[in-house]
């Protein structure tokens, strides 16, 4: 998570929680003049379009007042979905034994992308089995990670 995403998470968490939801994570995607701020929310009973609209209004009002992003951007509020993004060590711990995709900021073993079974977490390392080989990936080096849905 970038420093800006961490600051936005700290700013938005109380507002999302006050609305009755969990802030799963934030992605800020720079795309020239039209960047996107994605806010993922969850609730034990699931997420509806109305929930997203409620949180969007609350978050938008806070962002208008605080103005933490100087450039133009679009705000998207969404459920994590089946391909749930993974942001924190707790998120990874919940999906041990499942297939995940990981993109690293800095290559490890000559590659940046890994898709395999998350076998365990050792301290600050993810242990991912890809094609029968175990890779130890530093959590701080993870640029993006998500669960691979199995149908």
């Amino acid at each position: 998570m970038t420093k800006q995403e961490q600051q936005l998470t700290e700013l938005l968490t109380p507002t999302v929680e006050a609305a009755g939801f969990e802030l799963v994570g934030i992605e800020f995607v720079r795309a020239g003049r039209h960047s996107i701020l994605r806010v993922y929310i969850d609730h034990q009973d699931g997420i509806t379009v109305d929930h997203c609209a409620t949180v969007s209004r609350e978050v938008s009002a806070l962002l208008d007042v605080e103005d933490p992003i100087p450039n133009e951007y679009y705000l998207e509020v969404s459920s994590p979905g089946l391909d749930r993004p993974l942001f924190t060590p707790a998120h990874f711990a919940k999906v041990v034994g499942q297939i995940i995709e990981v993109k690293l900021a800095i290559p490890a073993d000559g590659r940046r992308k890994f898709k395999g079974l998350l076998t365990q977490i050792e301290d600050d390392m993810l242990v991912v089995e890809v094609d029968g080989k175990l890779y130890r990936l530093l959590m701080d080096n993870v640029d993006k990670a998500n669960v691979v849905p199995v149908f």
Side-chain angles (χ1 to χ4, degrees):
M1 195 176 327
T2 67
K3 185 175 181 178
Q4 183 179 32
E5 288 170 335
Q6 289 173 330
Q7 291 171 337
L8 288 167
T9 299
E10 290 170 11
L11 176 67
L12 300 180
T13 296
T15 299
V16 172
E17 288 178 352
F21 301 95
E22 173 193 356
L23 178 62
V24 174
I26 290 176
E27 291 178 342
F28 186 68
V29 181
R30 286 176 175 72
R33 292 180 21 164
H34 302 286
S35 299
I36 301 169
L37 174 60
R38 287 192 183 104
V39 177
Y40 295 100
I41 61 170
D42 206 357
H43 189 274
Q44 66 187 16
D45 297 330
I47 295 296
T48 67
V49 172
D50 290 337
H51 295 148
C52 292
T54 298
V55 172
S56 180
R57 280 190 300 274
E58 296 293 325
V59 166
S60 184
L62 176 63
L63 292 171
D64 286 346
V65 170
E66 296 294 328
D67 199 23
I69 303 170
N71 305 342
E72 289 183 32
Y73 63 92
Y74 296 105
L75 173 63
E76 292 180 3
V77 177
S78 169
S79 76
L82 293 176
D83 58 345
R84 173 175 292 270
L86 306 168
F87 295 99
T88 68
H91 293 161
F92 286 102
K94 287 181 184 177
V95 299
V96 169
Q98 296 184 42
I99 304 293
I100 64 170
E101 282 185 318
V102 179
K103 180 181 171 193
L104 300 178
I106 300 168
D109 290 325
R111 59 192 288 184
R112 291 182 62 207
K113 294 181 180 181
F114 297 83
K115 181 178 178 181
L117 179 70
L118 177 60
T119 61
Q120 62 181 321
I121 298 173
E122 294 176 352
D123 299 319
D124 59 350
M125 304 291 281
L126 303 173
V127 181
V128 180
E129 182 181 339
V130 180
D131 299 327
K133 182 177 179 184
L134 293 179
Y135 292 91
R136 286 174 172 69
L137 310 174
L138 184 63
M139 274 194 240
D140 287 344
N141 189 24
V142 173
D143 185 39
K144 187 172 185 175
N146 62 285
V147 173
V148 175
V150 178
F151 299 100

